[in-house]
Amino acid sequence: MEFPQGFSAHTGNIGIKDDKPDVLIIATDRPVPTSGLYTRSLFAGPSIVVSREHGADGTAQAMVIVARNANVATGPEGLANAREMAGLTSSLVGCDDRDILVAATGVIGRLLPMDRVRTWFATQSWTDANAEVADAAAAIMTTDTHPKTASASAGPASVVGIAKGVGMIEPDMATMITVVATDAEIASSDLDPMWRRVVDKTFNAVSVDTDTSTSDTAVVMASGAAGPVDSALLEQALGIVALDLTRQIAADGEGAETLIVVKVDGARDNAQAKRVGKAIVNSPLVKTAVHGADPNWGRVAMAIGKCSDETDIEQDNVVIRFGTEEVYPRLPGDLELAALSEYLAGPEVLIHVSLGVAGGEFTVFGCDLTDGYIRINADYTT
């Protein structure tokens, strides 16, 4: 898979932690319409600060991403390093510093090894920028088990996305780290609201462990090389790519073995459906039941019930299904437990809840909770 027209990518190994690729630069030949959504964490990293500043005008020419070091909670020196990273990238690509977006992911509280960063940039040439999409996705991985890529078409234009993220994931108007590139021609003023709508239905609908990262970044850039396309087609293609990446992120959650999809309908509005869906997918008891293939629908009922502010939800109006099989309000003795257990043991589980209030609906994505998640995070920095 190649990037859309007008984009080039370059990867390499700075030596942040080991000899694997740990830096990615994606660039166009000029500033192009760009929309970026970022974490709302009170501990947002210096890279977020720089990207918000540089992307405020709705354009950018390049983005640099460093993996295995988040450069978060590193004070004035960390901010200076993020700005220097933008400067080094602009010199390599050949553009203004303020046309560079910066992202970083990995361990919190450690300064970037700037001597190694400077040495790497000094040995690079942008004429070598020929990385393919899979290589770009691999360069930003941390505890991901595989590169995450997706693509779609919008008339003559293409949309290609990469993402990383498997832990510390429950976004708040952003996502883990995602870069989506398209060669469609679109104004910044149209791209930004379009991207916000797409992100709200996809990346903002995923949760691995309820923890919002300090470095969440979701960026889309449009080179315009393919010319104008129908806006509805473009939004649809962006949505296809974002949803594909969302599902990959949830399925690859740290230690995960099962993708959990929670569909809530019959809600007062879409916002209520999302709140209830998140309560279900974030429940450790629901997650462990799925991991154990235990058809304990009572845990789903519990998760709905703890949404105590939703006073228009009445238990007698609620229907809970595992897949297409209704499990509540049927009596436990009426359930085919062996068949339900077999379904829950599969690679993807749908929990479908109908609230019986009105017509709102939303779908969220998550994963089971395994001992693998505990082991990965217990040993993360050691």
Side-chain angles (χ1 to χ4, degrees), residues 5 156-158 183-185 223-229:
Q5 301 174 72
S158 64
D183 48 18
E185 181 181 321
S223 72
V229 301

Side-chain angles (χ1 to χ4, degrees), residues 10 53 64 131 145 258 283 301 355:
H10 186 50
E53 291 177 0
V64 57
T145 64
T258 306
S283 166
L355 297 178

Side-chain angles (χ1 to χ4, degrees), residues 128-150:
D128 297 327
N130 57 4
E132 295 188 353
V133 174
D135 296 328
I140 63 175
M141 289 170 32
T142 50
T143 55
D144 303 65
T145 64
H146 61 84
K148 298 172 177 64
T149 68

Side-chain angles (χ1 to χ4, degrees), residues 284-321:
L285 291 177
V286 173
K287 287 172 171 288
T288 50
V290 170
H291 177 61
D294 179 8
N296 188 349
W297 57 263
R299 294 183 175 183
V300 178
M302 172 279 300
I304 300 167
K306 71 182 180 182
C307 300
S308 54
D309 290 338
E310 312 295 340
T311 55
D312 51 353
I313 297 175
E314 297 182 11
Q315 60 178 291
D316 290 343
N317 296 332
V318 173
V319 176
I320 301 171
R321 303 176 184 87

Side-chain angles (χ1 to χ4, degrees), residues 103-118:
T105 177
V107 179
I108 292 171
R110 296 181 182 176
L111 288 164
L112 289 168
M114 291 308 295
D115 288 345
R116 276 177 270 172
V117 170
R118 296 180 191 110

Side-chain angles (χ1 to χ4, degrees), residues 69-70 83 89 135 170 189 211 252 312 316 324 347 357 361 376 382:
N69 184 314
R83 295 195 189 284
T89 303
D135 296 328
E170 184 173 18
S189 57
D211 289 328
D252 196 31
D312 51 353
D316 290 343
T324 59
V357 178
E361 61 181 42
I376 289 168
T382 54

Side-chain angles (χ1 to χ4, degrees), residues 332-351:
D334 296 334
L335 299 177
E336 295 290 340
L337 296 181
L340 287 171
S341 293
E342 183 178 357
Y343 173 73
L344 293 174
E348 178 175 334
V349 168
L350 170 66
I351 299 174

Side-chain angles (χ1 to χ4, degrees), residues 4 21 24 34 47-48 72 75 230 234 243 252 267 284 286 306 308 319 328:
L24 165 67
T34 299
S47 298
I48 301 294
V72 169
D230 179 82
L234 178 58
L243 180 58
D252 196 31
V286 173
K306 71 182 180 182
S308 54
V319 176
Y328 174 82

